[in-house]
Amino acid sequence: MTAFDDDDRLTGWRFLLFNAALAVGNVIALSNVPGYTVLAPYAAGSLQGVTPSFGTWATTDHMMGIVLGLPFARWLSARYGDYRVYVAAFVAYAVFSLACALSETIWFFVPARFLLGLAGGILLPIGQGLVLNELPEKYRPYGVAWWGVLSMAPFTLGVFMGGFWAEYFNWRVLFYSNIFLGLPIAGVVGALLYGRPFARRITRFDTIGVLLISVTLVGFQTVLNQGNDFDWLGSSFLTIVMVVVAISLPIFIIWELGERRPVLDLRLFGHRNYAVATFCSVFGFLFIQGMLSVFIGQLQLLLGYTSSGAGTVYLTMALLAVPLVSVVHLLVRHIDLRLFASLNFLGFSVTMTWLGLFDKPASFDQITVPMIFFGFFLATFFAPPAAIAVQGLGGSQLIRAAEELAMLRTAAGAFGITLQGVVQFRRTPFHQLDLADQLGGRRFPSLDLLPQLLDKLQGLGLSESVARAQVSRLIRQQALLMGLNDAFLTGALAFFGLAIFVWLAKPARKPAPKQRLELLRAKELMEEP
């Protein structure tokens, strides 16, 4: 934590340049998750022609790197100073980005993406702290609001830019842009804060806890990543990984309960509001991140959108989200937080149901309308659970609670990407068989429409084999679409349940004046996607 007087804060053009650099740095680090997702099909094709599901590993493992980087950020900044660690992390970010850009195989690319996420997990919370440190206390709420606006950029602008790079240049440009922008940002921050004093705090690092949570999270994510491709328990490797995870998880829980400075303070879940809010935020983000990532891929692979066209669909979410996210902090002060969160969850449930009822490949204007509302509810998703979670917590507990919620939510987002993909993968054969039975008259012989359809296609000049192949392709496409619908409807049902569950929290109380700065720091961390 820095230690300096108000007179040492940056002013004038230095203050503006500093905030601009940190804002761009935050957008870069966060955009590497959704920004890569839109170009994953391109990357998969370039990395020895692996399937798109293999390309998804680079998204989920990157998010796991972010999760594991967060505890290092707190320890390193206390030991070496926040701006020094921030500069070093961005230099490392550029190095790992270069490794990603030069990758030729999936086996080199995925570890490089993990290390890139690790560097991102270190620089993200430190960058947020640097912003608040330079703001006078009376302006800090506006800083939190501005950071909230930036948090929407990865889901909108980040996806669009990733699609633009992939379609008109090369998917590797995304990682080269990290270098061209990241190194100047590190230079600007280092130059502006050079010589800034800080209070060194050397604390015990929970090495064993970090190792155990790393084995647990990365192992579980590996099983989810590779389960569909390598037949789950049919793979001896995945079976071994499952056993390791099943052993490491209870050991981790026992260790953390006895640790004075745990990497994940499980005692916080003894506070009812924190437990309820964390459950809602974590499981809600699991379905949000999962659906956004799966849908961006299916827009290209299933519905035939170009990567820039798919990015434009996501860009429309900013129409309502950006203006709303800047004022949502003011709204939550005057509305029962449980009611606010419940209405938000119901809104997500309705929107996902809307998207899950499409029975044919929809046009751009049909898709963008529900996506605009998706952005509206995304903008109001983070603040209510964050405000509920900090009720009853004070002092250092606020910051620890914020860091833990961010860790768990990011991990859940990575799980959600693969879990929602599993839903679509598993439901597609069911719908494909059902459609074949319906069309072929196996279920209702009097409605056997297949011969009529084949006759019409052959009348158009197609041979019998080509006509059958065309019908088979159409059935497969519709089955994939119905599987995607099932994934949306699963999310809709989950959010309906969360809208009821959030009422288990106690009514919110206003924080004491001395808690305001810690509360702002905590909210800034908790509301980061």
Side-chain angles (χ1 to χ4, degrees):
M1 182 176 180
T2 55
F4 56 92
D5 298 327
D6 289 349
D7 295 337
D8 294 329
R9 290 193 174 98
L10 299 174
T11 59
W13 66 268
R14 291 180 178 84
F15 175 78
L16 295 177
L17 179 60
F18 179 76
N19 277 272
L22 289 177
V24 175
N26 182 72
V27 172
I28 290 173
L30 287 177
S31 294
N32 267 258
V33 177
Y36 167 78
T37 303
V38 69
L39 52 80
Y42 293 85
S46 296
L47 299 171
Q48 296 182 316
V50 296
T51 63
S53 62
F54 280 49
T56 304
W57 299 357
T59 300
T60 54
D61 284 13
H62 178 80
M63 295 180 72
M64 282 300 153
I66 293 176
V67 171
L68 299 177
L70 292 175
F72 284 99
R74 178 177 66 250
W75 181 76
L76 289 172
S77 62
R79 190 178 183 92
Y80 301 107
D82 47 11
Y83 87 87
R84 294 176 178 85
V85 176
Y86 184 85
V87 171
F90 237 126
V91 173
Y93 201 82
V95 172
F96 296 138
S97 294
L98 179 62
C100 292
L102 299 178
S103 298
E104 295 295 337
T105 67
I106 192 69
W107 310 111
F108 184 83
F109 182 65
V110 171
R113 281 282 289 172
F114 174 82
L115 294 174
L116 185 67
L118 191 67
I122 294 174
L123 64 89
L124 278 171
I126 296 178
Q128 296 166 356
L130 289 172
V131 169
L132 277 184
N133 285 335
E134 297 302 318
L135 287 172
E137 186 174 354
K138 64 179 179 179
Y139 294 120
R140 281 169 181 154
Y142 299 102
V144 174
W146 166 239
W147 214 254
V149 173
L150 294 176
S151 70
M152 291 303 302
F155 294 104
T156 54
L157 182 62
V159 176
F160 175 78
M161 289 306 300
F164 181 82
W165 294 138
E167 184 173 347
Y168 294 104
F169 294 93
N170 188 287
W171 66 271
R172 300 177 192 270
V173 174
L174 172 69
F175 301 105
Y176 286 124
S177 67
N178 293 341
I179 303 171
F180 298 144
L181 294 174
L183 291 180
I185 290 172
V188 167
V189 173
L192 291 176
L193 298 184
Y194 179 76
R196 177 70 62 85
F198 73 99
R200 185 185 298 272
R201 292 181 292 108
I202 300 178
T203 58
R204 184 174 183 272
F205 186 71
D206 186 13
T207 304
I208 295 179
V210 170
L211 290 175
L212 288 172
I213 196 174
S214 300
V215 170
T216 302
L217 293 179
V218 175
F220 186 62
Q221 186 62 62
T222 300
V223 172
L224 293 178
N225 282 346
Q226 301 184 17
N228 277 335
D229 296 300
F230 297 101
D231 194 26
W232 302 98
L233 293 176
S235 166
S236 57
F237 171 72
L238 293 183
T239 302
I240 294 173
V241 174
M242 288 181 187
V243 172
V244 172
V245 171
I247 295 173
S248 64
L249 179 59
I251 295 176
F252 170 74
I253 294 174
I254 295 171
W255 174 266
E256 294 299 277
L257 290 175
E259 179 68 14
R260 288 184 59 191
R261 296 183 179 275
V263 64
L264 195 67
D265 191 354
L266 301 179
R267 301 178 188 87
L268 285 172
F269 288 92
H271 299 272
R272 191 167 93 185
N273 276 24
Y274 181 78
V276 171
T278 299
F279 182 88
C280 291
S281 185
V282 165
F283 279 89
F285 194 66
L286 182 148
F287 287 99
I288 291 172
Q289 183 69 62
M291 287 316 313
L292 288 176
S293 297
V294 171
F295 192 44
I296 193 67
Q298 293 304 313
L299 280 173
Q300 301 172 78
L301 300 175
L302 175 60
L303 304 183
Y305 279 67
T306 62
S307 58
S308 62
T312 304
V313 171
Y314 276 51
L315 192 62
T316 59
M317 291 197 301
L319 294 177
L320 295 179
V322 169
L324 182 60
V325 75
S326 61
V327 298
V328 69
H329 300 277
L330 301 176
L331 296 177
V332 297
R333 298 178 184 178
H334 308 289
I335 302 175
D336 188 327
L337 294 173
R338 297 171 301 171
L339 176 62
F340 200 128
S342 184
L343 292 176
N344 175 267
F345 298 155
L346 288 175
F348 267 120
S349 182
V350 172
T351 305
M352 287 188 175
T353 302
W354 187 355
L355 288 166
L357 293 180
F358 282 114
D359 58 357
K360 60 183 179 181
S363 61
F364 178 83
D365 57 336
Q366 289 177 305
I367 293 177
T368 52
V369 175
M371 290 301 290
I372 289 173
F373 284 96
F374 199 104
F376 175 89
F377 294 112
L378 182 62
T380 57
F381 170 75
F382 298 100
I388 294 173
V390 298
Q391 294 299 318
L393 303 178
S396 60
Q397 275 190 323
L398 282 171
I399 307 302
R400 288 302 307 270
E403 292 174 349
E404 291 191 12
L405 193 149
M407 287 177 61
L408 294 173
R409 187 175 57 212
T410 304
F415 296 155
I417 294 173
T418 45
L419 285 173
Q420 292 296 76
V422 168
V423 172
Q424 184 189 22
F425 180 85
R426 291 293 178 181
R427 294 292 294 173
T428 295
F430 170 82
H431 290 298
Q432 190 171 0
L433 181 60
D434 184 64
L435 289 173
D437 287 345
Q438 291 273 9
L439 190 61
R442 294 178 183 175
R443 184 166 300 175
F444 303 102
S446 60
L447 298 177
D448 185 0
L449 303 177
L450 183 59
Q452 300 177 33
L453 180 58
L454 291 175
D455 289 340
K456 288 184 178 181
L457 291 175
Q458 292 180 56
L460 295 175
L462 301 180
S463 65
E464 182 179 357
S465 60
V466 173
R468 288 185 177 277
Q470 185 69 10
V471 172
S472 178
R473 186 195 65 81
L474 180 62
I475 291 176
R476 175 67 176 174
Q477 182 190 48
Q478 292 299 315
L480 284 167
L481 180 60
M482 295 172 75
L484 180 64
N485 288 346
D486 288 345
F488 273 114
L489 294 175
T490 301
L493 182 61
F495 269 106
F496 182 80
L498 292 178
I500 299 173
F501 183 80
V502 74
W503 287 98
L504 294 178
K506 299 177 182 179
R509 294 175 295 175
K510 292 185 178 180
K514 66 179 181 180
Q515 292 180 313
R516 288 177 181 172
L517 177 58
E518 288 83 2
L519 182 60
L520 287 173
R521 290 181 183 274
K523 284 185 176 180
E524 199 171 45
L525 285 170
M526 286 199 223
E527 294 170 25
E528 195 67 56

